[in-house]
Amino acid sequence: LTEEKIQRLNEVGFLWKSGNFRTWEERFEELCMWQLQHGRTVPTRGENESISLWVRRMRKYLREVEKGNSVYLSEEQIEKLRGIGIAPGEERPDRRGPRNKW
C-alpha cells in the first residue's frame, strides 16, 4: 500500500490489528519498556529486530516531517517519539554498496 492509501484508511478508522500486527501504541509501549530494561534509546537489529526496524521507520517519518511532508503520524505521536529521545537522524545510504554485474 502507498502511504497515501494507508493515511486514507487511517482517517476512516480502519482497524489494522490482525495476527502478529501491533498498533502504533503497542510498538511505542514495547520500545519504552525496552528502554527501561536496557538503559538505551534503541536496540540494534540483533537485540530486537522488530523494535529496531520500527524505530528506523519512525525516524524516516520524522525526517519527512522536517522536510514539511505529511506522514501518517499525528502531532501527539511525533511529540511522544521526540519525548523519549527518538530523533530523525541522518538518512543512511544503502550499506550494501554498489553491486558487481559480473
Side-chain angles (χ1 to χ4, degrees):
L1 291 173
T2 66
E3 288 298 318
E4 180 182 299
K5 288 181 182 178
I6 290 171
Q7 184 175 2
R8 290 192 347 217
L9 288 169
N10 285 333
E11 288 171 356
V12 297
F14 184 82
L15 296 177
W16 294 96
K17 185 118 178 146
S18 74
N20 197 24
F21 182 84
R22 292 187 182 97
T23 64
W24 189 95
E25 288 296 330
E26 289 169 329
R27 284 286 185 203
F28 182 78
E29 183 69 27
E30 189 178 358
L31 174 60
C32 290
M33 293 301 295
W34 191 93
Q35 288 181 337
L36 286 174
Q37 292 171 349
H38 296 88
R40 294 194 339 263
T41 307
V42 181
T44 65
R45 283 182 73 177
E47 292 170 322
N48 190 317
E49 184 174 18
S50 65
I51 297 175
S52 177
L53 292 174
W54 184 80
V55 170
R56 186 177 185 184
R57 189 168 48 254
M58 294 305 107
R59 284 180 168 156
K60 177 182 176 189
Y61 292 148
L62 291 174
R63 283 192 298 273
E64 291 301 315
V65 168
E66 285 187 346
K67 293 176 186 175
N69 297 327
S70 63
V71 295
Y72 91 96
L73 295 175
S74 68
E75 286 298 319
E76 179 183 353
Q77 289 170 328
I78 292 167
E79 290 307 313
K80 281 183 170 184
L81 289 169
R82 290 177 176 157
I84 62 167
I86 303 301
E90 298 280 325
E91 192 165 357
R92 297 181 186 175
D94 187 352
R95 292 188 196 187
R96 293 175 287 190
R99 293 187 176 183
N100 292 332
K101 294 190 178 187
W102 17 273

